[in-house]
Amino acid sequence: MTKASRNSPAEPVDDGPGRFTSLRGGVAPRGGVAPRGAVLLALAAGCAAMIATDVLNPRIDPVSETVSRYVHGTGGWLITLALLSIGSASAVVARWSWHLPGRPAARRAARGALAVWAGGVLVAGLFPADPPGQWGRPSTSDLIHGTAALPAFLALPLAATVSLRGLMTVWPAGRRALLAVTAASAVATVALAVFLVDVMSGGPSLGLGGAPTLVGLVERLAITADVAWVALAAVAVSRDRRDAGRRNRGRRNSGRRNNGPQIGGRPHGGRSYDGRSYDGDALARIPSGDRRA
């Protein structure tokens, strides 16, 4: 039995260089295939719903119109479903990210940025944007939508950058993918911010060819990079949670095996024949008639 109270909050414990495997006052939350699969399924469903709206609305230009504006088109409910699915999956990953290795300040920053991303996506899903082409005089719902979406887009690259070292520590095999997606998210977010400022300050002016603006295309690239990063982070943190759970179970089992002296390979419950402490070998050499259970 540990000294920590059973009801005390669990605190991460650094078990060595580059490892962050156990919890003080509790056991590391279990990870595994099922929770990770649910997160990845929610992300995939969100992406599929966005793609479906593009297919169902061929008359809306995906290059110049943002994804959220499709909520007023055919199958508009799919946009709400997509944003709520991605936001919910991101919230789960934000909760898991607390157990990543690294400095506490970096973990708090990463978790806070992920919470801003997840919360912004969820709010954007609950408050729809205005119909396509209406950039001037936004409605109240559109203002709330935009106010939530912009910080969310800005927060995700920050979370990816701050948590990059911790994610690569727990998942070395995903190092290149994490680096590539983090860089893509940062570049796409900067470009998206430029185009959003352009269209919201007097109308679109940064167009190409027949498209008045490229904000729709750039937003889709940013969403792709951001969702890909959330998926990679889910894989990384779920692997760390699963490994931490195995290590903690191994420690508990080892503690049970070593609890008290041993007689004939079986635990003796810590009792000795004369009230003194003996290890397993010493106690085994005492004549059986002299032992007291």
Side-chain angles (χ1 to χ4, degrees):
M1 178 69 69
T2 61
K3 295 182 180 180
S5 170
R6 180 174 298 179
N7 295 325
S8 62
E11 298 178 6
V13 179
D14 192 346
D15 291 334
R19 298 305 308 161
F20 195 74
T21 59
S22 63
L23 296 177
R24 183 181 293 115
V27 179
R30 294 184 180 182
V33 176
R36 181 180 66 192
V39 169
L40 296 179
L41 180 61
L43 294 173
C47 293
M50 290 184 180
I51 294 173
T53 57
D54 278 336
V55 175
L56 293 173
N57 296 274
R59 289 181 292 181
I60 303 178
D61 185 11
V63 175
S64 59
E65 292 294 344
T66 58
V67 172
S68 56
R69 306 239 174 205
Y70 282 66
V71 72
H72 298 281
T74 304
W77 62 271
L78 290 171
I79 293 299
T80 301
L81 173 65
L83 295 176
L84 295 180
S85 296
I86 293 173
S88 300
S90 300
V92 173
V93 176
R95 183 175 182 274
W96 287 352
S97 66
W98 180 249
H99 308 292
L100 285 175
R103 297 180 178 180
R107 288 195 303 272
R108 286 193 295 267
R111 192 182 189 186
L114 269 176
V116 172
W117 157 261
V121 174
L122 290 172
V123 172
L126 295 175
F127 293 88
D130 286 343
Q134 296 186 14
W135 296 106
R137 296 183 179 180
S139 64
T140 301
S141 178
D142 187 78
L143 284 174
I144 297 175
H145 177 92
T147 302
L150 184 57
F153 276 116
L154 296 176
L156 197 282
L158 175 62
T161 302
V162 173
S163 62
L164 182 59
R165 178 174 297 182
L167 292 173
M168 292 191 299
T169 298
V170 300
W171 190 28
R175 178 185 180 90
R176 291 184 177 179
L178 287 166
L179 283 170
V181 172
T182 299
S185 175
V187 172
T189 298
V190 172
L192 177 61
V194 171
F195 281 98
L196 285 175
V197 170
D198 173 61
V199 298
M200 290 188 295
S201 59
S205 60
L206 298 176
L208 182 65
T213 178
L214 304 180
V215 66
L217 175 61
V218 175
E219 185 199 46
R220 283 164 173 78
L221 294 176
I223 292 174
T224 301
D226 292 346
V227 173
W229 183 87
V230 175
L232 293 176
V235 173
V237 296
S238 65
R239 288 168 63 92
D240 187 52
R241 283 158 46 88
R242 180 185 59 192
D243 293 344
R246 288 175 178 174
R247 280 187 289 271
N248 278 280
R249 288 193 295 273
R251 289 168 185 164
R252 294 198 302 273
N253 294 335
S254 177
R256 294 191 189 101
R257 289 194 299 269
N258 297 328
N259 184 20
Q262 304 287 318
I263 298 180
R266 296 189 300 272
H268 191 55
R271 295 173 294 177
S272 59
Y273 85 105
D274 57 358
R276 292 183 291 177
S277 298
Y278 294 86
D279 60 22
D281 293 337
L283 191 59
R285 289 195 293 270
I286 299 174
S288 59
D290 294 336
R291 299 177 189 157
R292 286 207 309 262

